[in-house]
Every structure is written in structure tokens, then in C-alpha cells.
Amino acid sequence: MKILVTGGAGFIGSHIVEAYLAQGHDVAVVDKLWLHGGGRLSNLPPQVRFYPTDITDPALGEIFEREHPEVVNHQAAQHSVKISTDDPAYDARVNILGLLNVLENCRRHEVKKVIFASSGATYGTPKTVPMNEDTPQLPESPYGITKMAAEHYLRYYRDAYGTRFTAFRYGNVYGPRQDPNGEAGVIAIFANRLLTGQPCRIDWDGEQAKDYVYVGDVARASVLALDRGDSGIFCLGTGVGSSVNELHRQLVALIGRDTPIIHAPKRPGDVHLAFFDCSRARDALGWVPQVSLTEGMSATVDYFRQQLAAQSGAPTAPATDAASEPAHL
């Protein structure tokens, strides 16, 4: 199957690309390699055809004309909540107008299906947990608003033009290749800072708990969606909330090093407890998370160890636990 992945050089997108290649599919990637987006050419296997193009660019149509994809997996987005609040017009240009450019080309070129990256940010602060697909969406940031609006556009293109879709509301995705800078996930940030001996910042009381799902599990959902889940929107998570304090404790044990903690106030819009009921994804797609938090964090730590060793020329060692390598300041 011919598949075009937008944002395919990014953290999540590149894992999806690898999952498709492992199934024997023919994959092309569109990625702007935006400085704040995490896209890296080094994330892409050499057999992938790469187009360094912005999804808002009219030239995107030329790529569709050349590739004739059967499926488009749309991962490209402005994904930073802070950037969306600082510049909501830019957020809307990428996440709404960019999506419309993709969908219009899907319509013109008779793409069979669109797989879309939505977000748990569409819920805002949930009144009850676990959240599921029927939980009211009350987004509290421009980013969450644009992701919710995108789901409505997908329904419109399905009803008006017959463009099939599957959308995923991601939990907090983590794993290898996540950028440990800026507004990256807390696991990547803590792992990098502990490995490099830097302090870790914990906002609020540290007991705020989110649903952390491993990137490989998320990529597998995009494989299953190639022939399942039409017109469906699915939550992807583990069904468990893990606190920031607990993540920090587990990473200290894995890495065998502790560093000072800097406490900071609650961030605006931060949610104290949010996790998913993913039974709909299980029933419709046959998807359940397979990688435990401990396994996923270990793989993430090993990745950052290898990256740091490559930069310094030093040998690497696998992630350990506190029993074999005592923590130290």
C-alpha cells in the first residue's frame, strides 16, 4: 500500500513510518523539519522518499500528484500549547488550514483513507475519569480547540466526499526520539536532565497524574487503522494515571543518579488527573497497549544514553535499577 505520512520525520511520525515499512508498505514523508516540531532527517530510514514541504504550501498538491497515496497519515501539526497561546493565529494556520490543504488534496486525488493525530487536549479539565470518546470536549487552549475542530472537518469530508478516516486522541506519548527540550514530555525531559546531572523541575505538588503511552504502541494503532476503525475516533492510552513524582522516582532508580529538584508553581491549565478508558480501541481495532511504563522508560533512557555517548564518544551502558547501581547526588 502507498502511504504518505505528514510529519513523518518527527517523534511519533517516524515510529509510524517504521511500523509501516515493517509491514511492507511503500512510504513517503512530508515534513517541514520545523525547529520546534522535532522533525529530524536522521529519524528517517533511507528507503523513504522525503519531501521537505510545509503542509500549508500549495506545492503539497504536486507531491500528491507524484505519489498517488492510497492512505494519508496526518501527524504534522503545531503541537505546543504554549506556542498556541502565544500565537493562536499561527496555531490555526498550521492545524486548521494545513489540515484543509491535506484534505482537499485527499479529495482531489481520491485518497482512500486519512489517519489523523488528535489529542487528549481536546477534553480540557475532565469532570470525571477515566475519559472516553463520549466525554465532553471542553478544550482550554487554542491547540486543543484546533484539534477538536479538525475532528469535525474529518466528519465533514467523510459525509461530503466519502473520505474515510480514523482519528486518535493521544494520551501523553513518550519514548525514543522525543525532543527533551522545550515543551517535550516530562519523561524525556527528566531522563535527559538526570543523565546530564542537571536539576529537574516539578510543578505544582508533583502529584498531577496523566496517561503515559509508549510511542511504539501508538504507532501500532496506525497500522491497525489501515483496514479497521473507519469513521472512528479512539482514545489511546494505558488506562492508568502516573504522577510526575512517581515518574521522577522511577527514572532515578533506572538511571542510578539523583539531582536536585526545583519546585515551581502550577502551570495555567494543568490538569491534576487525566487518564483514558481505551475499550473502544480494543473492541474496534484490537488495540491494547503492550509496553509497560517501566519497559518504555528503560528504552527511552537507553536511547538518550546512546545519544549522549555518541556526542561524547563514550561507551554506553543499559538502563539499570537502584539495586544494581545506587543513586547518588
Side-chain angles (χ1 to χ4, degrees):
M1 185 180 293
K2 294 197 70 173
I3 305 172
L4 179 67
V5 181
T6 70
F11 161 49
I12 298 174
S14 63
H15 285 273
I16 291 171
V17 167
E18 286 185 344
Y20 284 151
L21 291 173
Q23 296 292 317
H25 297 294
D26 183 1
V27 182
V29 165
V30 169
D31 199 306
K32 180 185 176 181
L33 302 180
W34 181 42
L35 178 63
H36 302 288
R40 305 284 184 272
L41 274 178
S42 59
N43 290 342
L44 292 176
Q47 67 267 43
V48 170
R49 294 180 300 283
F50 173 67
Y51 299 92
T53 304
D54 192 313
I55 57 170
T56 65
D57 194 327
L60 186 67
E62 299 172 12
I63 298 170
F64 273 77
E65 183 66 36
R66 180 179 300 179
E67 290 292 331
H68 295 290
E70 299 166 76
V71 172
V72 170
N73 190 310
H74 186 46
Q75 299 292 312
Q78 190 302 107
H79 66 275
S80 165
V81 170
K82 185 178 188 306
I83 289 175
S84 82
T85 57
D86 290 345
D87 193 350
Y90 178 76
D91 180 76
R93 185 175 77 84
V94 176
N95 291 354
I96 299 296
L97 298 183
L99 170 69
L100 288 174
N101 194 25
V102 170
L103 289 175
E104 276 295 286
N105 278 291
C106 288
R107 176 182 67 81
R108 294 187 191 111
H109 297 277
E110 300 182 335
V111 170
K112 294 178 181 178
K113 187 170 188 178
V114 176
I115 299 170
F116 176 69
S118 188
S119 172
T122 62
Y123 292 111
T125 302
K127 290 183 171 55
T128 60
V129 290
M131 303 175 294
N132 63 25
E133 293 79 4
D134 298 322
T135 299
Q137 292 174 285
L138 299 169
E140 297 174 358
S141 67
Y143 168 73
I145 292 168
T146 57
K147 285 294 186 180
M148 182 180 72
E151 293 181 6
H152 289 289
Y153 276 113
L154 290 169
R155 295 187 186 98
Y156 169 74
Y157 273 79
R158 174 202 62 196
D159 296 341
Y161 306 113
T163 306
R164 296 153 49 209
F165 76 89
T166 298
F168 294 122
R169 293 175 188 161
Y170 293 155
N172 289 54
V173 185
Y174 73 97
R177 300 187 203 135
Q178 190 165 29
D179 188 341
N181 301 301
E183 201 172 325
V186 65
I187 291 175
I189 293 172
F190 281 178
N192 185 67
R193 296 188 74 81
L194 287 167
L195 286 167
T196 55
Q198 301 178 70
C200 293
R201 191 187 82 190
I202 295 181
D203 300 326
W204 204 350
D205 60 3
E207 288 303 300
Q208 59 271 30
K210 309 291 175 56
D211 197 332
Y212 294 90
V213 58
Y214 187 65
V215 67
D217 282 332
V218 166
R220 187 163 41 82
S222 274
V223 174
L224 294 169
L226 291 174
D227 55 13
R228 306 181 198 180
D230 283 2
S231 300
I233 297 175
F234 303 98
C235 296
L236 296 186
T238 64
V240 177
S242 300
S243 75
V244 174
N245 289 333
E246 180 59 27
L247 295 176
H248 182 264
R249 284 191 292 267
Q250 289 196 41
L251 285 167
V252 166
L254 277 169
I255 291 169
R257 167 189 283 177
D258 202 354
T259 62
I261 294 174
I262 298 172
H263 292 281
K266 174 183 180 292
R267 296 180 303 174
D270 203 355
V271 177
H272 205 262
L273 180 63
F275 60 94
F276 289 132
D277 171 1
C278 300
S279 57
R280 191 171 296 181
R282 178 197 64 208
D283 295 342
L285 301 172
W287 182 89
V288 293
Q290 296 179 346
V291 179
S292 72
L293 183 61
T294 300
E295 292 169 332
M297 288 199 299
S298 180
T300 305
V301 167
D302 285 345
Y303 169 80
F304 282 114
R305 271 207 173 108
Q306 291 164 8
Q307 294 296 301
L308 291 168
Q311 294 168 14
S312 66
T316 63
T320 63
D321 58 28
S324 59
E325 184 178 333
H328 59 275
L329 291 174

